[in-house]
Structure formats: C-alpha cells, structure tokens
Amino acid sequence: MTTVSLLDRAISVLRLNDAGMFTKPGPHQYPHQWNWDSALIALGLSHFDLPRAHLEIRSLLSGQWQDGMIPSVVYHSMPSDYFPPSQFWQIENSPSAPPVPTTGITQPPLLATVVRRIDSRHPNPDFVREVYPSLLRWHRWMHTARDIDDSALACIIHPWESGTDDSPRWLRLFEAIQPEALPEFRRGDTRYVAAAERPNRSEYERFIYLIDVFRKLNYAPTALLAHSPFLAQDVLFNAILFRADEDLRALGVSLGEPTGEIDGWLDRVQGNFNTRFWDEGAGLYYDYDVRSGNPIPVNTAATFLPLFAGLPSREQAQRLVEGHLLNPVEYAPSGQVRHWVTTTARTEPTWEPRRYWRGPVWVIMNWFIAEGLRRYGYDGLAETIRQDTLGLIETSGFREYYDARDGSGCGSDDFSWSAALALEMSHDSK
Ligand code: DGY
C-alpha cells in the first residue's frame, strides 16, 4: 500500500464516522462526541476540509458548562447503545449544566493546541476570535475549580478524565475505594470489543461508583474537590494543560488580548511541576495521589508527556529518553516486542500487552512522544517512532490500539484519531 492510499483511507474513516455535526471516535464503540478525540479529529479534518474541522470544534464547544468546563462527552441527543447514556449522569441537577446532554467530567485539554496548529497553517483570525473566550474559560476553570493547593496544577476526579482509563497509574487509588453500593448498570463496552481488551470488572465498577458519588453532589466543584474518593494530580493532564496554556497565550497575543492571567498560570505551573512530579531517584515523572498525599510510583508512558510541554530540563530529558524510553527492558522494542511505545513499562507487573491502557501501543501517545522528542533535539528517534506508527497503521488498519509484540490491532476498528493522526504524522515529514 502506498502512502497516498493510506491517506485516502484515513479520510474515508473520518468520513465514515462523520455524524454531521461531530465525528464519532469509533463507529460502534464510541457513538457520541468525545473531547480530546474531537480535538485530534479536527486536526485531521483540517488537512482536507477546513470548514468541517471548524464545525467539529464548534460542536464540542456547544457542550461547555456555564462554569467553563468542557465535558468529556457531548451526547448531542443521538440515540445509541453506549453505556453510560446521557441520563445516567443526571447533570440537570447542576446549575452549571449546558442545554445539551453531556457527561459531568472533563478530559485532557488538547483543544487550544489544536486550534493554534490549525491556525498556523490556515490563518483565520475570525475563527480564533470566536473560540478564544470559550478556551480561556475552560483553562480558567481547570486552574481554579480543580486547583486544590493553590499550585495552579489541575486535579482530576475520575480516571476517565485522564483519558487513560485503566492505566496502572490508578490501581493503588482504586484499592482505597470500596464502593458501598453500586447503582444498577450493565456495561456496553464489551459488546463490540473483546472483554480481554477492555478494563477489568473491578475497575469498571469503580468508574461507575465515582459517577454515582458525583451526581449525588450535583457536580458542585467545591464538593467534588472535598469529597471525590479519587483525586489525583496527573502528569499527562497537567503537561497537556501547560502546553495548551502556551498555545492559548499565543492565540491571545495574535488577537491583541491581554495575557497576564495566562502568564500567571504558566509561571506557577512551571514553578510547581517538577517539584510535584519529578522523582530524582527514578528519573521519572510520577502522578500524585492527593487523598493519601503520596506520589504514585508507577512507570508508564505518561512520564514522557512533559517533553511535549517542554517542562523537563535538558538533563531530565536525557534521563527520560536514554534511561527509560531507549531501555530495552522498559519501552524500546526488543525480543518479542517489535513496536514503539508500550503505554506501560514492561518492567511493571501490571503490564498487559492487549488490555486498553495497560500496555498496548496507542497512536496518540506515539504522536505526543515524537513531538516531545523533536522539541529536545532527538530527531532521529522521533522519526523512528513516527515511521513505526505509520507502519503499524498501514499493516493493521486504523485500530484503537495495537499489540506491541506483533503489531496486531485491538479495541475499536475504524478509529477516528488513528486516522486523524495518520494525516498529521504524514504531514510531519513534509
Ligand atoms: C469509555 O467508555 O471507555 C470511555 O473511555 C469513557 O469516556
């Protein structure tokens, strides 16, 4: 298959999943609009249909809450067999809920970064002026409603907010959560994808238990910070947020907007990020469990996200890359593992090669890592990862994730962000 046909196929996947106003992340498994999926989908669409990319972003923003949160899912009243359905969240009990049905939690904030990148290729000040206030309100919400210690670092209250639902990063926090009573529910996520490639039952029960806690608190931000049994400062989320703050600032400057507030967030996060997350002994970034007051010493690919944000020093970057990413027992292909980059270090006992965020290769993580490597001058390694990722897609199709041992596909097929990032990563070589 030639590169041209790969790009044509990527466009076909985005067209296949086009629901008119928004693009489904996957045709069966994910039938509504997901936040960070949609940002990447807009980036992919911008390569061949700029008006449709703008519509994708407008549709996501239509779900913004009055307090500024952009939710993880906007349901758009589309009937589906997805669980949990919109009614399950009971967001109408919150005075901040928007008129369209959404979840009551957020997702990693990639949108400002995407808007800036699209604008750098197709300058459109009118569009930037239109979306900038919504982006600013979302970022303000993350730096205030989710700031528990005046650090400007954002807390997440649910693993779904990390985008990496069943990552081993969250297992210890889950052990401390004992659901008293669970609402009645029936999972839908194992209808189209093998159960062995989806989260385990005990984690899934906690996902649902947490939603039940939040809806009983009517999603009041102070109550959530005070009472959510799950409360973490997430390396991945905060690295993406810092990068997005930089991009939001650049958009503000292009519009002639004052940037003092954003500068304040950038200064504070820059000052607090390494103190909070860097483990000097391990040479890794660890997430932080706010409830227990302890770092979470689990080695996953989230540790490389700060490179994407330019947050590590040169020396820290060298330790991350040369000590871990290139280490053949942790991340680098070796022996039975033929592909970059497993989402969990293979030295972790919880590494599972085919289960969701427990270890498979994800296109989005490889894109973040390659971008971060280029920022630190590791161009050769970035190129190796870019080519390996495009090769995986070419061989196994636009899958949700891949088994690093043989490159076979897992999870949803016709997965939109794998298609969107194939377009973006092919563009990277031009
Ligand atoms: C799911 O349904 O698996 C999603 O990740 C939750 O947003």
Side-chain angles (χ1 to χ4, degrees), residues 96-160:
S96 283
V100 294
T102 73
T103 60
I105 57 173
T106 193
Q107 251 188 346
L110 264 180
L111 194 56
T113 297
V114 163
V115 170
R116 182 184 181 195
R117 184 160 296 190
I118 295 175
D119 193 63
S120 71
R121 293 176 185 150
H122 311 279
N124 188 331
D126 288 344
F127 183 72
V128 174
R129 188 166 296 287
E130 175 189 333
V131 299
Y132 181 80
S134 304
L135 293 171
L136 183 64
R137 285 176 53 228
W138 186 24
H139 285 223
R140 185 180 295 138
W141 174 85
M142 287 182 278
H143 287 297
T144 53
R146 287 304 183 81
D147 180 0
I148 192 147
D149 53 8
D150 211 22
S151 60
L153 296 169
C155 289
I156 60 167
I157 58 172
H158 194 294
W160 287 353

Side-chain angles (χ1 to χ4, degrees), residues 325-343:
L325 185 56
L326 288 169
N327 183 342
V329 293
E330 288 179 43
Y331 292 101
S334 89
Q336 288 192 323
V337 173
R338 303 203 331 250
H339 296 281
W340 299 89
V341 173
T342 49
T343 39

Side-chain angles (χ1 to χ4, degrees), residues 30 34 72-73 82-83 107 160 165 189 198 204 356:
Y30 306 106
W34 265 257
S72 61
V73 179
Y82 178 74
F83 180 86
Q107 251 188 346
W160 287 353
D165 307 3
D189 64 310
R198 292 293 304 174
Y204 207 89
Y356 211 35

Side-chain angles (χ1 to χ4, degrees), residues 128 132 247-259 262:
V128 174
Y132 181 80
D247 293 318
L248 184 67
R249 185 185 188 284
L251 293 170
V253 168
S254 76
L255 296 173
E257 292 288 331
T259 59
I262 304 173

Side-chain angles (χ1 to χ4, degrees), residues 357-378:
W357 288 97
R358 283 290 168 80
V361 174
W362 284 76
V363 176
I364 188 175
M365 295 302 280
N366 284 7
W367 178 69
F368 284 135
I369 292 169
E371 292 253 330
L373 289 171
R374 271 191 226 108
R375 224 173 147 154
Y376 284 83
Y378 291 99

